Amino acid sequence: DVESSAMTLTIAPNPSYQTPIVKVTSAREMDVTFRLSSMDGHMKEFQKHMEEGENRFLLPVYDGLTSGMYVLSMMADSHTQHVRWVKL
């Protein structure tokens, strides 16, 4: 899907001591599934509705996370994008 490949995913601040902001730029309105994975294999999933253009929200699964490296994955249609994030 050409439109879904026009999505971008960022998380800031990175690394962070507090709840980071996730920024998604989407070519169209759609529902997106996110998965936050720790290096020891634990995963938390959540869904968000994206509007066309820039979307910003606080990482909703932040509470209870231990310090360490995580991978935030964004899945929409057949497109998956990953970004590394470090919780201090």
Side-chain angles (χ1 to χ4, degrees):
D1 186 331
V2 174
E3 288 185 332
S4 66
S5 65
M7 295 181 75
T8 60
L9 170 66
T10 57
I11 188 167
N14 190 6
S16 58
Y17 286 104
Q18 55 198 22
T19 309
I21 295 172
V22 178
K23 184 173 95 172
V24 176
T25 304
S26 180
R28 63 182 174 87
E29 184 178 345
M30 69 175 78
D31 291 321
V32 178
T33 299
F34 293 88
R35 179 182 297 135
L36 186 68
S37 306
S38 63
M39 294 298 107
D40 61 4
H42 290 89
M43 287 185 259
K44 296 188 179 201
E45 278 194 3
F46 60 96
Q47 293 189 331
K48 288 283 188 181
H49 182 78
M50 298 294 115
E51 299 293 335
E52 181 179 342
E54 187 175 286
N55 300 267
R56 291 174 179 254
F57 56 91
L58 292 174
L59 183 66
V61 294
Y62 182 83
D63 289 342
L65 295 178
T66 57
S67 297
M69 182 180 291
Y70 293 84
V71 175
L72 180 63
S73 303
M74 173 177 71
M75 295 151 286
D77 300 331
S78 60
H79 177 73
T80 302
Q81 191 169 349
H82 309 279
V83 64
R84 288 186 186 158
W85 168 65
V86 176
K87 180 181 189 286
L88 298 174

